[in-house]
Amino acid sequence: MKVILLEDVKSLGKKGEIVNVSDGYARNFVLPKKLGVEANSKNMNDLKLQKANEEKVAKEQLAAAQELAKVIESKEVIVKMKSGEGGKTFGSISSKEIAAEAKKQCDLELDKKKIQLPEPIKSLGVYEVGVKLHVKVTAKLKVKVVEE
């Protein structure tokens, strides 16, 4: 019996795949637990429509991420940091502080987990920080660290 999986099943396959299982396995396990539905013409058509809709949504999310990347790359965030004699700084600047300053200065909602810092910023200057917006889109945000 051919079955369209509604969820990932460890021994069978991933969600949305069409798999061939024995009749008893389908009747007694897959169908009652709502892990899949029988692959008839109506369900196959529904699957095609669902996949088309998912592709459309994915394209819209990619386009939105690219637009946001253009906005982010045109902005500059200024972060103030205390420093002592000879330009020696106290502490460091983390992604949390960059996200807070971006919200305050540029009205950008950035998730601190998506800001990619190889290591915390510990000196004055201008840095380009990566912001991962989408699997395929990473924007570069200019962060200017100045003395307080």
Side-chain angles (χ1 to χ4, degrees), residues 51-65:
K51 283 190 177 181
N53 187 35
E54 288 173 358
E55 285 179 17
K56 180 183 172 195
V57 169
K59 284 182 183 177
E60 288 173 356
Q61 288 176 341
L62 178 62

Side-chain angles (χ1 to χ4, degrees), residues 29-70:
F29 183 74
V30 177
L31 299 177
K33 292 194 176 189
K34 297 196 177 10
L35 298 174
V37 292
E38 189 176 345
N40 57 24
S41 60
K42 179 197 175 294
N43 291 338
M44 296 285 277
N45 194 30
D46 289 347
L47 178 67
K48 282 183 188 174
L49 293 173
Q50 186 179 4
K51 283 190 177 181
N53 187 35
E54 288 173 358
E55 285 179 17
K56 180 183 172 195
V57 169
K59 284 182 183 177
E60 288 173 356
Q61 288 176 341
L62 178 62
Q66 289 171 336
E67 288 296 316
L68 183 58
K70 288 179 186 173

Side-chain angles (χ1 to χ4, degrees), residues 14 37 47 52 56 72 75 104 116 118 122 148:
K14 302 246 183 234
V37 292
L47 178 67
K56 180 183 172 195
I72 288 174
K75 304 284 183 178
K104 198 186 306 177
Q116 299 173 323
K122 294 184 178 182
E148 194 171 293

Side-chain angles (χ1 to χ4, degrees), residues 69 72-75 116 127-131 138-142:
I72 288 174
E73 289 178 354
S74 67
K75 304 284 183 178
Q116 299 173 323
Y127 298 89
E128 283 203 352
V129 177
V131 181
T138 303
K140 294 285 185 192
L141 175 67
K142 270 191 186 165

Side-chain angles (χ1 to χ4, degrees), residues 3-21 25 29-30 35-36 51:
V3 175
I4 300 171
L5 296 177
L6 299 176
E7 295 181 22
D8 291 352
V9 181
K10 194 171 190 176
S11 60
L12 286 179
K14 302 246 183 234
K15 178 181 177 179
E17 284 184 6
I18 301 169
V19 293
N20 205 4
V21 296
Y25 186 65
F29 183 74
V30 177
L35 298 174
K51 283 190 177 181

